Amino acid sequence: MKKLVTIGIIVVFFVISGQSQNQANIWYFNHENGINFNSGHPVYLDNCPTWRTYSTSICDTNGNLLFVTDGETIWNKNLQIMANGDGLNGDDVNTQPAVICPNPANSNQYYVFTVGSGHKLTGLQYSIVDMSDEVGVVTQKNIQISEGNNARFKITAVKKKNNTDYWIITRLVKPLGIEEWASFSLTAEGVNPIPVISWARYTDYNAGPVKISHDKKKLISVQRLENTNMFGSFDVCDLNVETGEITHKFLIKEYSGCLACFGITGMELSPDSKLLYIAFDEYSILPPPQNYSFIYQYNLQEEDSLAFLNSRREVDIINNARDLQLAPDGKIYCSTSSLDANNNRYLGIINDVWKQGFLADFEINGFDLGIQSDYTTLPSFPSELLYRFVWQGGPCAKTPIAFRHRFIPEPDSIVWDFADGSTSIDFNPTHVFQSGGNYEVHAHVVYPDGRIEETSREVEVLAAPEPLLGNDT
């Protein structure tokens, strides 16, 4: 049974599901740029450490920066190199140079997983950061995972169904044209060195990001030539978050008449897991200044490759699209390439990410970074750090489920629709589903400035167990 539910904003205080609140609120990225989202609006930070290209970071649940890394160096909350935090074996040219995961066995520790590239064959490694003293220290560094020796370019993480352990997912590029997905299990016992292996489609070009939809059912992988935007295509895959298995569904290559054309610069998914955004660069076809970029949108609910391709909608046509990243304010931010007419001063913003095509409202000069020296990039984060709302309880029918919103700034109102005929205007409601099924809970959010946000997530509810009545007497 599948039902649509409208969920409003929730502020319920529980432990497991609330752990990731505000943890992606501080961004630092190349050419000394930073953004603070703690107020619910982007505020520019001018104190970024200098690095070349890509990064990721982690905050505490109050939005205070803990540390940031580009896969080669770890900086602490004071933006100083952390003790033993230099000399990591990642590659900051990767769009995903590292992924940060809390240690399931120790709330003061974090794993920093790094991955190699085409010219830096370090494979999958991890380092451990201990935050017991608040400024942090790297206690273990560059621990090689032997079965990940062939890992290249891509790395992400997703919580397992138990909402405690993680899958660390990367792509293996082996000799003789063999490519595989590898899902490594991270639990309280540590990293299992034997991964779950899934077949991956072979390609001559492997650079580009991998991301997982917020419902944990889809994995999208971009393929492009290293250090360029040429030869762009992307894979649409199914993910089984219980087993870690990944199933390839189909490949999408726009403008197949030219293999080198329509390189992919950025990729992101909407928080309701329904829409995929891809930024394409057409500079391979038309030289400057005629060249331009597309931001396309696809319907992730289409299961057939032709229907998926035909679902494409233009969000905007510009001359400078690069990276795409969802932010804590529920909008998707877009960095710019070196061909930008405004010298990379602005980040673009897709304001209404749940709407189709031009209705998504792309704002080309959405956020002012000030004078820039070159192209801009954006950091990357696991999707779970950017859920619009979370819940705990159940999982059976007739058992309370508490919802907690993550909308910032604090909304004026939220209307929740639970897709079972029930609604709520509580900010953080508790709801009881009377029967098992998959319910798409939808939230209609109104912010103090009048802005409206619509989002949803699917809640799986198990059938209530039958009572044991015993034998008749």
Side-chain angles (χ1 to χ4, degrees), residues 172-291:
L172 308 180
V173 182
K174 295 184 173 182
L176 303 177
I178 297 173
E179 295 191 24
E180 296 172 330
W181 290 108
S183 300
F184 292 85
S185 176
L186 172 63
T187 68
E189 285 69 45
V191 181
N192 186 338
I194 307 301
V196 176
I197 295 294
S198 303
W199 177 85
R201 182 188 58 84
Y202 171 76
T203 177
D204 286 327
Y205 34 94
N206 308 102
V210 58
K211 295 188 179 183
I212 294 169
S213 60
H214 289 213
D215 63 5
K216 304 182 183 181
K217 293 182 178 180
K218 298 291 184 187
L219 179 146
I220 311 298
S221 173
V222 168
Q223 276 69 245
R224 66 170 180 247
L225 192 64
E226 185 175 12
N227 296 326
T228 78
N229 296 328
M230 299 173 66
F231 297 95
S233 65
F234 62 93
D235 294 323
V236 177
C237 305
D238 287 335
L239 171 66
N240 186 326
V241 77
E242 281 195 88
T243 66
E245 294 173 303
I246 297 165
T247 303
H248 177 84
K249 291 179 64 65
F250 44 78
L251 159 76
I252 296 296
K253 171 73 176 84
E254 292 284 0
Y255 197 69
S256 58
C258 171
L259 290 178
C261 302
F262 263 68
I264 297 178
T265 56
M267 177 263 287
E268 188 53 285
L269 300 96
S270 63
D272 60 9
S273 303
K274 295 179 180 179
L275 298 173
L276 170 67
Y277 290 85
I278 300 283
F280 291 96
D281 194 333
E282 203 188 6
Y283 78 90
S284 302
I285 301 176
L286 298 174
Q290 293 87 6
N291 63 283

